């Protein structure tokens, strides 16, 4: 710290120590600037917490990604102040702020709300106009009315109202807009005047607040007075915005004014906190500190620091679960840190503002994913469990943290019928889910012979997936812009692959609700690196969640390296793709209809890169209206005319890719001499000193130590970071082995424990999500070109508990992909992984008794 901060570093005697034990930070002790003792006092009393390295983000990123394109303009005051107040960097609800949208959702759900700004208007408090939730300006100064001495006369407001009164059919849209704006302005002015008059005559006793001696102290006193009038204003949810405009600027490019500024903040906040506590409002009040950005880690030559990005922020209040540091304080204040950018350390935020406001919104009463996504439009771009819940931040929380693991659309914290069942507003993916106790769908009675019939034709379309389709990302540690996948324009749906969640892809459920028959797959290249392009695909379909997925097609997608510029409209038809754009089309035979589709991309151009990017996808086929029946296979007769179908070009007119045949070779393991007992064991590894054929992946320190102890009982591996690779103990299972074939079911068992790298004490993990797991790395080349299969195939996580520091036995069944139809394996490895990314030299994994057994062939 001292080396990085240089002459702006604070010495220990300038700090007030706080404990961060239990916060999972790089240090157990941190310091608060001694010029802010009220914050130290609140932290020690568990009434304040910090959030480290937080800022505005559109998605989780680090410096190894294309972070510069994630926000339009970085490091400028005007832009970043706006971003901090809107928390809508993708402009999905332009013109609104996070506080205004929060009040909108609370008002929609029956709360009486008010959004207040001290002196003027703020972007933060602007709501969506359709909810009619104005933002009020408050001040300790007398209310400023219209000038009664106007040259028009004292009835100036009445005249303005008349001039901008009711419009008629001849009024232009500009006139309508002007009139609406003027009337809204006059309404807000008169309402503010009414409130100000009521406050002035309500005899609100503020003598216990005391005199103020700074501008920011006066601002907080205005907030206090307005809080005291909450019953008069008939509100039960308030939000206040104020800006500390100090005599000395916080923007310290040339000198360090921080001490003087914090002294003003400390005095004002101490006075305010004491008053709020005396009024009995401390438990229901939270103070949120924000800024446009943090400062550079390394100072500039002029004695100050410059604009950066991520910063450290605090929250305080009686209901706060204080005495902790959330987020991730940088573990290295140097270029070694994956969030460090530039020469002097502009830290990319590791925690988005969305995480903080997700907790605040839930605590204040916003419930359910739909409403929370309105408050925070980029919230779906982050893993839900990476965002703070009100249980993380507040003592008196509404929804448990476990709710982040489900689609909790009604906001009650449990997966129930209101989230998943048919004929409720929260029915997911258009299908009932019986495992959640849903009632069976009401059967539709078959039509009687007396009912009239209507002949309808199947409708050829370039894409059976419409723009309103519900899209769920698969295999994604994080993703962004999934809405661009089906919007009919070139763009970039980008997935960062999760190490244990299978190949990247998506599930799409069309909003039109019709069944469809798909016979073609088109993909348009993204504007990203060609190394992120998919090289193979698998397409499946089903009609509801109770049905298993049925495979429609799989094949190669060698789209080349050409990229498409973002935002170009795709001009395709049911019979031809847009040939002016970089694309690939695969045609296949299919007569089965489905209502939901699943697409995964098992291989990208660079298999070691964690990114997968798609510009746009089209599933070519026909929509099936209600009442449609397929035409008979024989030729139609003159007695029963049929509607002519559009003439389609022959399939040879469009490029196609040969698909993997569905039938499997019959050669199995009949010629193998298995040991007595009949168990077909193809790997039995006890890790003694003499064993060979093992290797490591993604780690360089103690990567392989056959014979972990003197008895030669296990293999040891610890993790040292290599970008793009997850550490694993790797061992050969099959090589030119005609016994191991596609479709075969294997059972993989092994013993494993996680230990602290330094002292060998046991380490915990979360069963089912972050405990050690495994994957199969398999490749079969096709002699005719390309590959039959080539990917990582991740084992499912099946453990239900984890014993810290002891051996844990894992057992997972795995079916080799049916696409692996060759008899020659380029390689077939078993990787035993640590289950998640660990910091270098933080943990090590010990494995023993690894067995791979064939269950059926």
């Amino acid at each position: 710290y001292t080396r990085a901060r240089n002459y702006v570093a604070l010495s220990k005697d300038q700090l007030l120590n706080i404990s961060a034990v239990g916060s999972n930070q790089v240090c157990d002790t941190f310091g608060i600037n001694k010029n802010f003792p009220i914050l130290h006092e609140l932290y020690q009393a568990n009434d304040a917490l910090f959030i480290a390295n937080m800022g505005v983000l559109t998605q989780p990123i680090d410096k190894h990604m294309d972070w510069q394109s994630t926000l339009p303009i970085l490091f400028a005051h005007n832009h970043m102040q706006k971003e901090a107040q809107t928390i809508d960097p993708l402009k999905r609800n332009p013109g609104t702020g996070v506080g205004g949208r929060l009040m909108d959702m609370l008002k929609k759900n029956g709360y009486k709300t008010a959004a207040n700004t001290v002196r003027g208007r703020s972007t933060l408090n602007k709501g969506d106009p359709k909810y009619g939730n104005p933002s009020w300006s408050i001040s300790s100064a007398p209310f400023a009315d219209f000038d009664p001495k106007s040259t028009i006369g004292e009835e100036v407001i009445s005249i303005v109202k008349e001039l901008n009164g009711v419009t008629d059919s001849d009024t232009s849209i500009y006139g309508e807009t002007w009139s609406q704006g003027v009337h809204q302005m006059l309404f807000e002015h008169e309402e503010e005047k009414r409130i100000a008059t009521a406050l002035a005559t309500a005899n609100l006793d503020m003598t216990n607040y005391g005199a103020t001696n700074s501008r920011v102290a006066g601002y907080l006193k205005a907030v206090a007075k307005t809080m005291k009038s909450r019953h008069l204003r008939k509100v039960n949810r308030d939000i206040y915005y104020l800006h500390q405009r100090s005599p000395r600027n916080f923007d310290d490019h040339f000198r360090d004014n921080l001490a003087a500024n914090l002294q003003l903040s400390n005095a004002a906040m101490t006075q305010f906190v004491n008053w709020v506590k005396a009024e009995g409002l401390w438990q229901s009040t939270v103070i949120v500190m924000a800024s446009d950005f943090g400062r550079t880690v390394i100072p500039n030559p002029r004695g100050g620091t410059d604009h950066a990005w991520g910063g450290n922020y605090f929250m305080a209040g009686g209901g706060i679960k204080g005495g902790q540091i959330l987020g991730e304080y940088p573990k290295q204040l140097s270029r070694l840190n994956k969030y460090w950018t530039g020469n002097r350390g502009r830290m990319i935020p590791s925690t988005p503002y969305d995480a903080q406001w997700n907790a605040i919104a839930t605590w204040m009463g916003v419930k359910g994913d739909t409403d929370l996504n309105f408050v925070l439009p980029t919230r779906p771009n982050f893993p839900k469990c990476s965002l703070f819940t009100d249980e993380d931040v507040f003592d008196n929380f509404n929804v448990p943290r476990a709710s982040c693991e489900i689609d909790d659309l009604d906001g009650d914290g449990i997966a129930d019928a209101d989230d998943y069942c048919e004929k409720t507003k929260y029915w997911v993916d258009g299908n009932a889910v019986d495992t959640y106790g849903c009632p069976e769908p009401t059967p539709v009675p078959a039509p009687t012979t007396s009912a009239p019939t209507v002949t309808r034709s199947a409708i050829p379309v370039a894409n059976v997936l419409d723009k309103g389709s519900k899209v769920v990302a698969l295999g994604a540690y994080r993703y962004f812009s999934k809405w661009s996948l089906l919007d009919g324009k070139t763009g970039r749906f980008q997935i960062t692959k999760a190490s244990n969640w299978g190949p990247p892809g998506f599930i799409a459920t069309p909003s039109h609700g019709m069944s469809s028959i798909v016979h073609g797959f088109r993909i348009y290249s993204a504007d990203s690196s060609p190394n992120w392009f998919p090289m193979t695909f698998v397409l499946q379909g089903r009609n509801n969640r109770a049905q298993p997925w049925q495979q429609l097609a799989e094949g190669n997608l060698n789209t080349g390296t050409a990229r498409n510029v973002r935002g170009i409209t795709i001009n395709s038809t049911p019979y031809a793709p847009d040939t002016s754009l970089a694309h690939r089309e695969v045609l296949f035979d299919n007569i089965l209809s489905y209502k939901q589709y699943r697409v995964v991309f098992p291989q990208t151009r660079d298999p070691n890169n964690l990114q997968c990017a798609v510009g746009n996808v089209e599933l070519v086929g026909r929509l099936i209206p209600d009442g449609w029946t397929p035409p008979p296979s024989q030729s139609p007769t003159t007695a029963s005319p049929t509607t002519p179908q559009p003439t389609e070009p022959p399939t040879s007119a469009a490029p196609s890719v040969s698909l993997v045949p569905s039938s499997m070779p019959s050669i199995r393991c009949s010629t193998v001499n298995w040991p007595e007992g009949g168990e077909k064991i193809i790997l039995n590894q006890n890790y003694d000193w003499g064993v060979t054929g093992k290797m490591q992946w993604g780690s360089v320190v103690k990567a392989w130590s056959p014979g972990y102890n003197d008895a030669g009982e296990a293999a040891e591996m610890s993790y040292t970071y290599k970008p793009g690779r997850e550490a694993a103990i790797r061992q050969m299972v099959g090589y030119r082995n005609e016994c191991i074939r596609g479709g075969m079911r294997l059972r993989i068992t092994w013993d494993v424990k996680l230990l602290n790298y330094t002292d060998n004490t046991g380490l915990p993990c979360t069963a089912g999500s972050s405990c050690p797991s495994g994957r199969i790395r398999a490749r079969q080349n096709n002699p005719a070109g390309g590959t039959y299969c080539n990917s990582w195939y991740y084992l499912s996580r099946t453990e239900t508990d984890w014993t810290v520091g002891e051996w844990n036995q894992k057992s997972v069944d795995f079916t080799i992909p049916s696409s692996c139809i060759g008899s020659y394996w380029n390689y077939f490895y078993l990787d035993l992984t640590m289950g998640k990314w660990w910091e270098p030299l933080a943990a090590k994994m010990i494995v023993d008794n690894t067995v791979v057994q064939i269950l059926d062939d």
Side-chain angles (χ1 to χ4, degrees), residues 285-307:
T285 300
V286 60
I287 301 169
V288 181
M289 175 252 184
S291 178
D292 40 8
F293 41 59
R295 311 295 294 188
T296 54
V297 175
I298 298 175
N300 60 40
R302 301 182 296 275
T305 56
D306 296 325
H307 302 176

Side-chain angles (χ1 to χ4, degrees), residues 243-263:
H243 184 181
Q244 181 176 349
R245 296 172 174 86
S246 298
R248 298 180 177 87
N249 204 324
F250 277 97
D251 192 23
D252 292 333
H253 289 286
F254 300 98
R255 58 194 179 279
D256 186 3
N257 289 323
L258 185 61
N261 286 329
L262 290 183
Q263 289 168 10

Side-chain angles (χ1 to χ4, degrees), residues 162-218:
E162 184 177 349
L163 289 174
N164 294 275
V166 179
T167 58
D168 53 39
S169 59
D170 295 329
T171 304
S172 71
I173 187 172
Y174 305 105
E176 290 274 6
T177 304
W178 173 269
S179 294
Q180 290 174 6
V182 170
H183 271 270
Q184 179 69 17
M185 177 269 294
L186 291 175
F187 163 74
E188 293 181 12
H189 172 82
E190 292 179 335
E191 187 67 11
E192 285 184 349
K193 182 179 180 179
R194 183 190 67 79
I195 293 173
T197 302
L199 292 178
T201 58
N203 193 26
L204 298 174
D205 185 8
M206 297 296 294
T207 55
N208 63 336
Y209 198 96
T212 58
N213 57 6
S214 69
R215 184 180 296 172
V216 67

Side-chain angles (χ1 to χ4, degrees), residues 464-498:
V464 302
L465 307 177
D466 57 354
K467 293 182 180 180
S469 298
K470 176 180 176 61
V471 177
V472 177
L474 299 175
Y477 170 68
R478 50 196 174 209
Y479 62 88
F480 73 97
S481 300
K482 69 179 183 181
W483 51 269
S484 69
L485 185 66
L486 304 172
D487 66 351
K489 297 181 181 179
T490 54
R492 185 199 300 182
F493 169 47
Q494 182 177 333
I495 285 178
T496 299
K497 307 172 196 173

Side-chain angles (χ1 to χ4, degrees), residues 479-776:
Y479 62 88
F480 73 97
S481 300
K482 69 179 183 181
W483 51 269
S484 69
L485 185 66
L486 304 172
D487 66 351
K489 297 181 181 179
T490 54
R492 185 199 300 182
F493 169 47
Q494 182 177 333
I495 285 178
T496 299
K497 307 172 196 173
S499 58
N500 296 302
W501 297 350
F506 63 92
I507 294 174
T509 307
S511 64
H512 51 62
M514 287 187 282
S515 296
S516 55
I517 299 175
V518 173
H519 58 77
F521 178 83
R522 295 175 188 158
I523 183 171
Y524 294 87
S525 298
D527 64 345
S528 65
S529 165
N531 288 334
W532 302 359
F533 291 176
M535 297 298 287
T536 59
F537 82 100
V538 177
L539 171 63
Q540 299 170 316
R542 68 181 182 186
N543 284 306
N544 57 63
R545 292 172 68 107
Q547 292 182 351
W549 289 106
Q550 303 296 323
Q551 186 150 318
L552 290 172
E554 61 181 327
N556 296 326
L557 291 173
N558 186 5
T559 54
T561 59
R563 294 177 284 188
N564 291 315
V565 177
R566 190 179 303 195
I568 299 176
T569 299
I570 299 173
N571 295 311
S572 58
T573 71
Y575 315 115
D578 188 338
T579 57
S580 67
L581 300 172
H583 72 283
R584 184 66 165 171
E585 182 179 53
V586 178
L587 302 177
F588 47 89
D589 294 327
N590 173 48
I591 60 172
L592 301 177
S593 64
Y594 297 105
K595 290 187 174 182
Q596 189 178 55
Y597 294 94
R598 181 178 187 266
V599 178
V600 295
F601 305 108
Q603 182 184 358
T604 53
R605 184 176 297 277
D606 180 1
N608 294 326
N609 195 298
L610 292 180
Q611 305 302 318
C612 175
V614 177
N616 205 280
V617 165
E618 293 178 338
L619 301 186
V620 187
R622 289 181 171 86
L623 298 178
I624 303 176
D626 293 339
W628 181 86
T629 56
S633 56
Q634 67 270 22
S635 300
T637 65
T638 55
S640 179
T642 59
T643 303
Q645 298 295 315
T647 303
E648 297 184 23
T651 55
S652 59
S656 62
V657 176
S658 298
L659 303 177
V660 176
S662 58
S663 60
M664 301 300 301
S666 60
I667 299 176
R668 288 299 184 227
C669 306
S670 57
T671 61
V672 177
N673 293 319
W674 299 109
E676 293 185 8
E679 292 184 335
K680 300 175 182 180
I681 305 297
I682 54 178
L683 178 72
N684 191 355
Q685 185 61 273
N686 291 316
Y687 304 100
D688 57 42
W689 282 97
V691 74
T692 60
K694 303 188 297 292
M695 60 179 293
Q696 55 82 23
W697 185 259
S699 60
V700 295
V701 177
K702 287 192 176 180
W704 259 125
S705 298
Y708 163 64
N709 56 27
D710 292 338
E713 290 181 347
E716 171 189 354
M717 183 199 65
S718 58
Y719 178 36
T720 293
Y721 180 69
K722 280 188 177 180
R725 298 180 179 180
E726 181 186 7
I729 293 177
R730 170 170 288 184
Q731 45 225 298
M732 180 77 71
V733 178
Y735 182 65
R736 298 194 181 188
N737 189 332
E738 292 190 358
C739 180
I740 305 176
R741 306 300 292 266
M744 179 179 288
R745 195 159 60 98
L746 307 177
R747 174 159 295 164
I748 303 165
T749 59
W750 72 102
D751 297 336
V752 59
K753 65 172 75 171
L754 280 175
L755 301 178
N756 184 287
Y757 179 81
T758 304
D759 58 14
N760 283 332
T761 57
L763 291 177
C765 63
T766 302
S769 64
S770 65
C771 290
S773 185
R775 65 191 178 210
I776 297 293

Side-chain angles (χ1 to χ4, degrees), residues 798-842:
T798 59
E799 72 274 0
T800 57
D801 55 19
W802 175 265
T803 305
V804 176
E806 303 296 331
W807 288 107
N808 292 266
Q809 186 177 66
K810 308 270 289 184
S811 179
V812 181
D813 291 353
F814 171 76
T815 301
I816 301 174
S818 59
S819 57
C820 302
I821 63 172
S823 60
Y824 174 92
W825 290 99
N826 298 86
Y827 40 76
F828 193 100
Y829 297 124
L830 170 65
D831 288 352
L832 301 180
T833 67
M834 299 181 79
K836 71 170 188 177
W837 295 101
W838 289 88
E839 289 300 321
L841 306 183

